[in-house]
Amino acid sequence: MADQLRLGFIGAGEIAVRTAEAVAKAEHARLVAVVDANPDLARDLAERQGAEAEESVDDLVARKDVDAVYCAVPHFLHSTMAQKAARAGKHVLLEKPTGTGPEEAERSLQAARQCGVSFSVPFIYRYTPAWQRARDLVADGALGRLQMLHITYTASKPASYWQGGYTGRARSDWRTRLLQAGGGVLIMNCIHEIDAMRWVTGLEAERVYAEYGTFGTPAEVEDAISAVVRYEGGAIGTIAAGSRHPGGAGPIGNGGQRIVGVGGQIVLDRGHLWGYSEEGADGLPAGQWTDLALPEADPRTLCVEDYAQAILAGDPPPVPEDAALHAMRIIGAAYRSRDTGKAVRIEEVGRKVVMGVRPLN
Ligand SMILES: NC(=O)c1ccc[n+]([C@@H]2O[C@H](COP(=O)([O-])OP(=O)(O)OC[C@H]3O[C@@H](n4cnc5c(N)ncnc54)[C@H](O)[C@@H]3O)[C@@H](O)[C@H]2O)c1
């Protein structure tokens, strides 16, 4: 087994810088080459990490010393880049969301399958102590049968965010454009919580009803959304998200992600986890709210390291290839529901175009 997974980056913008830092810290990964539509950004990131800047995506994916391609570009380019990397025989680590909608997400995944390479998404919440402990508690039955899952996201993104993210590293308005971003706060931010909730509870969504709007953001995409989700087995969920709530989460926090069972509940907020179990469970005294002490962690580095080790060993990636697609179907159903005014069944979303995927070779 090789010592280190050799990564090529497509995109050297805001999040690529942070992922490159994680790669530098990970024992079994190394950044080899970077490409960006803005050559200055590619050179800058390559120089910081001792890698090489490439002039084109084709050149990057053709490199023999690249084992896997990490791609972090505007959403509308994700599927195209994933297909290019897969066709060149590279493993694909694609940022969320894996397309502007479930159809593109499906295409990204199918490309990897047809080319015999692995496909994964850095869903870093899976590497946070709070979500990991939540998963253990649910698996141990501390909450009993699950009845409600609540996702809350409350932020106040500054106007500058829409022209270059939080750092302004790559100046562009793609985040404001519906066709380029695919949507607003739900697809850009809540996709993490949607994935984590599914990973923790194991519950699959059955149908979604949503309402959304744009209230305080100079963008075509939504900055406020409210959705109701019905899960297989009967549990009910809500998603309430806003990216232009003045004051952000405020003194009481987001209100948290809440998982409620018939025997207890847990609340996650800002890296904290509180639990209540009527009968008690590991670390949870019976009948009393407990603030569970959690260790510090660097989820992005843990995610890169775990991924690199799995790919080097020839194992499937730890975040399974279809994880993003499941989240994207919920998101796609929510957007379609608002447009139709009706609840949308998950099985109706993202399948039609799949039939039309061109064979790759
Ligand atoms: N996992 C996370 O926690 C997380 C956090 C932030 C962003 N993201 C995701 O990462 C992706 C990138 O986000 P960002 O904030 O870094 O955006 P960004 O705009 O800062 O960076 C995107 C980069 O892509 C480059 N680019 C555009 N077209 C290109 C092309 N044809 N070929 C090569 N490069 C091209 C741009 O020049 C820019 O440098 C998005 O999908 C975003 O949702 C993930």
Side-chain angles (χ1 to χ4, degrees):
M1 185 173 103
D3 287 347
Q4 288 189 312
L5 185 74
R6 299 165 302 176
L7 286 156
F9 274 27
I10 302 177
E14 183 162 289
I15 199 63
V17 170
R18 283 170 52 203
T19 304
E21 288 164 0
V23 169
K25 284 189 252 171
E27 191 184 336
H28 291 94
R30 177 159 53 99
L31 179 59
V32 172
V34 184
V35 67
D36 194 286
N38 178 340
D40 290 342
L41 294 183
R43 269 193 299 275
D44 169 67
L45 186 56
E47 274 168 24
R48 290 189 204 198
Q49 301 294 347
E52 290 175 18
E54 279 295 352
E55 290 195 354
S56 75
V57 171
D58 287 340
D59 288 344
L60 182 124
V61 301
R63 282 181 72 127
K64 291 207 167 26
D65 63 352
V66 166
D67 306 312
V69 167
Y70 165 77
C71 179
V73 289
H75 302 169
F76 71 104
L77 295 170
H78 273 175
S79 190
T80 306
M81 297 303 176
Q83 291 183 55
K84 273 185 186 264
R87 283 180 179 147
K90 308 302 181 191
H91 298 288
V92 180
L93 181 61
L94 183 59
E95 265 300 351
K96 55 61 128 174
T98 50
T100 55
E103 293 82 6
E104 282 185 14
E106 182 99 40
R107 255 184 238 131
S108 304
L109 168 57
Q110 291 293 354
R113 280 187 180 158
Q114 287 166 2
C115 296
V117 296
S118 72
F119 181 82
S120 190
V121 179
F123 275 140
I124 60 172
Y125 284 26
R126 294 182 179 219
Y127 293 87
T128 62
W131 284 103
Q132 289 177 336
R133 189 71 203 282
R135 190 168 192 248
D136 290 345
L137 286 167
V138 170
D140 290 348
L143 311 186
R145 183 183 170 214
L146 300 181
Q147 47 175 315
M148 294 200 83
L149 319 179
H150 300 294
I151 291 173
T152 322
Y153 178 92
T154 315
S156 181
K157 295 184 179 178
S160 58
Y161 172 87
W162 300 97
Q163 304 302 326
Y166 287 109
T167 59
R169 176 174 168 84
R171 307 290 304 166
S172 164
D173 67 356
W174 68 265
R175 292 174 181 83
T176 70
R177 305 275 174 213
L178 186 57
L179 289 178
Q180 298 191 5
V185 63
L186 186 68
I187 194 168
M188 280 185 204
N189 304 106
C190 279
I191 189 168
H192 277 295
E193 282 86 359
I194 289 170
D195 171 69
M197 204 53 107
R198 174 174 172 269
W199 180 66
V200 164
T201 64
L203 296 180
E204 300 293 356
E206 218 168 48
R207 61 176 183 267
V208 184
Y209 176 78
E211 295 287 350
Y212 60 85
T214 309
F215 294 89
T217 302
E220 297 167 2
V221 299
E222 91 282 358
D223 63 5
I225 185 161
S226 193
V228 175
V229 185
R230 185 81 187 198
Y231 292 91
E232 284 168 7
I236 306 160
T238 63
I239 302 172
S243 56
R244 182 67 188 115
H245 286 6
I252 58 163
N254 267 330
Q257 320 310 324
R258 191 179 289 258
I259 303 174
V260 188
V262 295
Q265 53 173 311
I266 51 182
V267 176
L268 297 91
D269 197 15
R270 297 175 171 181
H272 288 272
L273 176 67
W274 294 267
Y276 182 98
S277 174
E278 278 181 340
E279 297 194 351
D282 183 25
L284 281 188
Q288 138 185 355
W289 275 102
T290 305
D291 184 350
L292 291 153
L294 299 168
E296 292 283 315
D298 175 356
R300 195 168 290 277
T301 301
L302 292 171
C303 179
V304 169
E305 176 63 16
D306 202 24
Y307 173 77
Q309 284 191 25
I311 302 302
L312 285 171
D315 293 336
V319 176
E321 59 170 18
D322 61 351
L325 187 56
H326 282 284
M328 290 292 289
R329 287 211 173 107
I330 294 177
I331 290 163
Y335 287 146
R336 193 188 294 176
S337 149
R338 192 278 204 166
D339 298 340
T340 59
K342 294 186 178 133
V344 171
R345 297 185 65 76
I346 296 295
E347 66 199 21
E348 293 167 19
V349 178
R351 293 205 184 271
K352 227 166 40 197
V353 180
V354 178
M355 309 303 290
V357 169
R358 280 175 292 128
L360 301 167
N361 51 33

